[in-house]
Amino acid sequence: MFKERTEKAKEKLVDLDSSDEDSIIPSPPQGLAAQPAPGDQPVDEGEKEARAGPSGGGGGGAESGAEEEQSSRRSKVKTPRWIQACMHYRFPASIDPFTNLMYVLWLFLVTLAWNWNTWFIPVRWAFPYQTPDNIYYWLLTDYLCDLIYILDITIFQPRLQFIRGGDVVCDKKDMRKNYMKTKRFKFDVASIVPLELFYFKTGINPLLRLPRLLKINSFFEFNERLEAILTKAYIYRVIRTTTYLLYCLHCNACLYYWGSDMIGIASTQWVYNGQGNSYIRCFYFAVKTLITIGGLPDPTSLPEMIFQLINYFVGVFAFSIMIGQMRDVVGAATAGQTYYRTCVDNTIKYMSSYRIPKDVQNRVKTWYNYTWQSQGMLDEQELLTQLPDKMRLDIAIDVNYSIVSKVPLFQGCDRQMIFDMLKSLRSVVYLPGDYVCKKGEVGREMYIIKAGEVRVVGGPDGKTVFVTLRAGSVFGEISLLAVGGGNRRTANVIAHGFANLFILDKKDLNEILVHYPESKKLLRRKARKMLTKGKKPEPKEEAKDPPKVPAARVRPETPKLLRAALEMTERATGLKRALAKVKEKTSKSSVSLQPSISSSLPPPSPTSSGPDRDVDTPSPTSGSPATFRSASRCHNNNNNNNNNFVMPQSVSQGHSDAGDSDTGGMLATDQREEGVSEVEGNEGGKREEKKL
């Protein structure tokens, strides 16, 4: 009845905070409160009977109900979470021995039981610490350890998963059969052989529990699982090696007391004299014997001498092994620091031999110190080279993906492309004031800021800070993608303080983008937008200036002596007629060019054309050279060639030489060429007007 009432009160307490406020509201009349719901009528009748108990009134029942509600509320609040977790815990059907933390805790409990038997069986056998007064405590602890052994053999070990043919087997029958086939099962069964049944004949002898030590496989397995969990496993290895040494001393102390008891306590100078704490005195003797410190009394009998010789031999052999193992453990723990010191010493030796300046040496030392303190290693990639590619990717995602995914340049790209890029990132540390990149350098890397700050500087003095970039920023991507050939750095970037940067090489990125063409197009498009955005002010400045009209090219004058020599050569060799025929042929082909020229040029005035006709009348072929020159010049100007036609240059300015010579025949030729040059000058000016 009280249980049903408590459950009903828990259902009403939906909100603990609101329950206190509801308690302030006065209770309704007793008649209304007594009306039950249709479904709750049997329960309410039971409650009425309970209220009509010894108190004989309803007030007592109300007080008891309030007390139960408060007690249930307290129990609900005060129940620890770990107790609730234990109550709702369900034992798994199969256990992964490599990743299950509960299994490691269970192995720790089994190891404690094994250590109890390992350390206290020799003590209870040699020293008189097991007496009839405390024998029940010893036996209770022994049987509790035996129970742990049995639970481990029957429940935990048959549920361990194993690998068969590359597959993880989780079937109960297969797991049980696999455990029963192993040697560990045989040792485990032998460790719980009930030799304690001989207690009825020999008495309680602790040596009958020696088979419990065969559970040593659980101790070794616990060591392996614990070392895999600990971040600094070398500390546990040092403690374990020290424990081995102490156990050797512990066993030697037990044997020394047993030997002294067999010979007789205080019977000779060599045996234990029975004074003080027996275990401490015997342990002190074992330490001096095994470590061969000296200062021990000489043995007087043959058994004493044999025991002492065995002690010396075991001490030398065992301690040499322990010391060597300790050296290996410490050496493995400090291997990274030893490698760091070796690199620093070699670098300092190299810089000293080449007489590197002190400021450079100090910066190198600072880089080594900061890199080692911040990362604990000099190169992160060295630790990951031995791992498979998939595992290296998983580690890179956990370490670097949160930073790279926030980079605006890579947003929208293929997710797998980003994963492949994470494996190619290199972490580099820059000191304060170091140049990450300089203006004008050929860009072969892109930088992503992992930690720290960098500054983009420039200006006339090279110290003006344009912008400060922080963690998650990217720079150098334009040079890396080389859009439009812009693969040179456009600014200086300096580390402000210690900066840790990710570097992505151009070669690695190109190898990745080969497999992701869509991402490659997206990156190129984003790079073009960024490049265009950075060059927007430049066209505006150029548009303000008026366009400059190119000036007409001034033709250099042909030397007078050269023109005279050409005229004399034509007359002497008879090449003039041949040249005239060639000009006639070319003039026919150039007639087609005249309409286009004449349409764009105004017709010449009669006054300006009169002198040209007078100059061209002495020879019937005088019109063809002018036409040939004008057509060729128009053709050359349309093709933007700077070379001039040789014949017009050599002939057009021949009138100056003709004025200086004494021959009368050259005068007519000079007049004709002078007219041709005037026609060419007029046509050249009209062509320039057409271009404008």
Side-chain angles (χ1 to χ4, degrees):
M1 185 184 300
F2 290 100
K3 184 177 180 181
E4 293 177 354
R5 187 187 304 173
T6 304
E7 293 295 334
K8 185 177 180 181
K10 287 183 179 180
E11 291 177 359
K12 293 180 180 180
L13 294 176
V14 178
D15 190 359
L16 295 177
D17 298 333
S18 62
S19 61
D20 297 335
E21 298 176 358
D22 296 336
S23 61
I24 301 174
I25 300 174
S27 60
Q30 189 174 0
L32 296 175
Q35 295 179 359
D40 299 333
Q41 187 173 0
V43 179
D44 292 339
E45 290 178 357
E47 290 179 357
K48 289 179 181 179
E49 294 177 359
R51 288 169 187 166
S55 60
E63 292 178 357
S64 62
E67 291 178 357
E68 290 177 358
E69 290 180 1
Q70 292 180 359
S71 62
S72 63
R73 192 182 305 170
R74 291 174 183 174
S75 61
K76 185 175 182 181
V77 174
K78 292 183 179 180
T79 303
R81 293 182 178 180
W82 65 273
I83 295 179
Q84 295 179 1
C86 293
M87 293 174 61
H88 295 287
Y89 180 75
R90 296 294 180 268
F91 199 79
S94 62
I95 301 173
D96 185 2
F98 298 99
T99 59
N100 196 326
L101 184 60
M102 294 298 296
Y103 180 66
V104 178
L105 295 177
W106 172 254
L107 285 178
F108 174 70
L109 189 61
V110 177
T111 303
L112 287 179
W114 180 81
N115 276 279
W116 167 266
N117 294 315
T118 303
W119 286 82
F120 285 97
I121 287 176
V123 171
R124 294 160 60 187
W125 166 71
F127 291 91
Y129 292 151
Q130 180 175 305
T131 60
D133 297 334
N134 58 14
I135 189 62
Y136 298 105
Y137 299 104
W138 291 105
L139 295 178
L140 178 63
T141 309
D142 290 342
Y143 297 147
L144 181 62
C145 294
D146 294 344
L147 178 62
I148 294 174
Y149 279 21
I150 294 172
L151 292 176
D152 182 65
I153 295 172
T154 57
I155 297 178
F156 283 89
Q157 296 302 323
R159 296 172 184 263
L160 293 182
Q161 301 174 2
F162 68 97
I163 299 174
R164 182 175 59 191
D167 297 332
V168 179
V169 179
C170 301
D171 186 70
K172 292 183 178 180
K173 294 182 179 180
D174 293 340
M175 290 186 295
R176 184 169 59 252
K177 291 179 180 179
N178 178 71
Y179 172 61
M180 296 177 66
K181 291 178 181 178
T182 59
K183 292 183 179 179
R184 181 172 181 174
F185 173 73
K186 299 176 182 178
F187 279 96
D188 291 346
V189 172
S191 64
I192 58 173
V193 173
L195 297 180
E196 288 84 353
L197 297 176
F198 292 97
Y199 284 175
F200 297 100
K201 290 186 177 181
T202 61
I204 301 176
N205 188 357
L207 292 179
L208 294 175
R209 295 185 56 84
L210 282 178
R212 304 295 185 272
L213 304 182
L214 296 177
K215 195 69 176 174
I216 192 172
N217 291 324
S218 298
F219 172 71
F220 290 146
E221 185 182 4
F222 172 72
N223 292 331
E224 295 178 1
R225 300 291 177 263
L226 186 61
E227 289 179 5
I229 295 174
L230 297 176
T231 56
K232 295 182 179 180
Y234 67 90
I235 297 177
Y236 175 73
R237 296 191 189 105
V238 172
I239 296 174
R240 186 181 61 197
T241 305
T242 305
T243 306
Y244 292 160
L245 176 61
L246 294 177
Y247 186 74
C248 292
L249 297 174
H250 171 77
C251 293
N252 189 271
C254 295
L255 290 175
Y256 176 68
Y257 184 87
W258 174 78
S260 299
D261 189 24
M262 292 292 293
I263 298 173
I265 301 297
S267 60
T268 62
Q269 186 179 2
W270 183 82
V271 298
Y272 170 60
N273 56 9
Q275 298 178 0
N277 190 302
S278 58
Y279 181 79
I280 299 297
R281 294 294 181 95
C282 293
F283 193 86
Y284 175 74
F285 175 84
V287 170
K288 296 181 67 176
T289 303
L290 293 180
I291 304 179
T292 62
I293 296 176
L296 296 172
D298 297 331
T300 56
S301 61
L302 182 60
E304 295 176 358
M305 295 178 64
I306 294 175
F307 183 83
Q308 194 70 3
L309 290 175
I310 295 174
N311 274 345
Y312 286 142
F313 177 77
V314 172
V316 172
F317 182 73
F319 271 81
S320 61
I321 295 176
M322 298 300 173
I323 294 174
Q325 187 175 1
M326 187 73 71
R327 179 184 60 82
D328 294 339
V329 170
V330 176
T334 59
Q337 190 172 2
T338 303
Y339 174 73
Y340 160 72
R341 292 305 314 169
T342 303
C343 293
V344 173
D345 295 341
N346 293 336
T347 305
I348 294 175
K349 184 178 179 180
Y350 172 81
M351 293 188 296
S352 301
S353 62
Y354 283 92
R355 298 180 181 179
I356 305 297
K358 288 295 182 181
D359 56 344
V360 178
Q361 294 188 21
N362 293 333
R363 292 183 66 83
V364 172
K365 294 177 183 177
T366 304
W367 181 87
Y368 270 110
N369 293 332
Y370 179 79
T371 304
W372 178 257
Q373 292 177 2
S374 60
Q375 300 180 172
M377 63 195 73
L378 298 179
D379 189 6
E380 296 179 350
Q381 301 298 327
E382 292 183 359
L383 299 179
L384 306 178
T385 52
Q386 298 179 355
L387 295 178
D389 187 71
K390 185 63 174 63
M391 291 185 180
R392 286 193 289 112
L393 176 60
D394 295 340
I395 295 175
I397 291 173
D398 294 335
V399 176
N400 305 329
Y401 183 74
S402 59
I403 298 175
V404 178
S405 61
K406 298 178 182 178
V407 176
L409 180 64
F410 300 116
Q411 292 180 358
C413 295
D414 194 337
R415 187 181 181 90
Q416 189 61 37
M417 189 275 291
I418 298 178
F419 289 166
D420 294 343
M421 189 182 64
L422 292 176
K423 296 183 292 184
S424 301
L425 294 177
R426 294 182 294 108
S427 179
V428 179
V429 176
Y430 288 90
L431 301 182
D434 281 354
Y435 275 89
V436 180
C437 60
K438 292 185 178 181
K439 184 177 181 180
E441 290 181 348
V442 178
R444 299 183 181 89
E445 301 92 6
M446 182 183 68
Y447 302 91
I448 303 174
I449 302 177
K450 179 181 179 182
E453 298 179 355
V454 297
R455 290 181 175 180
V456 182
V457 298
D461 56 350
K463 297 181 180 179
T464 304
V465 180
F466 295 133
V467 67
T468 301
L469 303 177
R470 294 176 175 83
S473 302
V474 180
F475 59 93
E477 66 276 9
I478 301 298
S479 299
L480 186 68
L481 296 173
V483 178
N487 59 342
R488 289 187 177 272
R489 304 297 186 189
T490 58
N492 296 328
V493 181
I494 300 177
H496 179 62
F498 292 94
N500 194 344
L501 307 180
F502 286 130
I503 297 179
L504 178 61
D505 191 70
K506 183 176 183 179
K507 180 181 178 182
D508 297 335
L509 181 61
N510 291 336
E511 292 178 354
I512 294 171
L513 292 179
V514 170
H515 307 285
Y516 304 96
E518 297 298 331
S519 299
K520 183 178 181 180
K521 293 178 182 178
L522 179 62
L523 291 177
R524 293 297 177 94
R525 187 162 54 250
K526 288 185 178 181
R528 288 192 187 94
K529 290 182 181 179
M530 297 172 66
L531 189 62
T532 306
K533 183 179 179 181
K535 289 188 176 181
K536 276 184 179 180
E538 296 182 0
K540 294 181 180 179
E541 295 179 359
E542 293 179 357
K544 293 179 182 179
D545 299 332
K548 297 181 180 180
V549 179
R553 183 172 52 85
V554 180
R555 294 176 56 191
E557 295 183 358
T558 305
K560 299 178 181 180
L561 183 59
L562 179 58
R563 287 204 306 271
L566 290 174
E567 293 293 338
M568 294 297 296
T569 304
E570 289 179 0
R571 291 187 177 184
T573 58
L575 296 175
K576 188 173 183 180
R577 295 180 180 178
L579 293 175
K581 293 180 180 180
V582 174
K583 292 176 182 178
E584 289 177 358
K585 293 180 180 179
T586 56
S587 63
K588 294 179 181 179
S589 62
S590 62
V591 171
S592 60
L593 299 175
Q594 292 297 330
S596 62
I597 298 174
S598 61
S599 62
S600 61
L601 296 177
S605 61
T607 57
S608 62
S609 62
D612 295 338
R613 293 194 186 97
D614 294 338
V615 176
D616 295 338
T617 51
S619 174
T621 62
S622 60
S624 60
T627 306
F628 173 75
R629 293 186 186 92
S630 62
S632 63
R633 287 179 178 277
C634 182
H635 181 69
N636 292 336
N637 289 331
N638 290 333
N639 293 331
N640 295 325
N641 294 329
N642 295 326
N643 297 329
N644 299 320
F645 190 70
V646 177
M647 288 302 296
Q649 289 182 358
S650 62
V651 180
S652 62
Q653 299 177 1
H655 63 280
S656 59
D657 278 356
D660 296 336
S661 63
D662 296 334
T663 60
M666 298 294 291
L667 181 59
T669 305
D670 294 338
Q671 292 176 357
R672 184 167 63 251
E673 297 301 332
E674 184 176 355
V676 173
S677 64
E678 290 176 1
V679 174
E680 291 174 355
N682 294 331
E683 292 177 357
K686 293 175 181 178
R687 283 193 298 273
E688 296 295 334
E689 292 176 1
K690 181 181 178 181
K691 290 181 180 180
L692 295 175

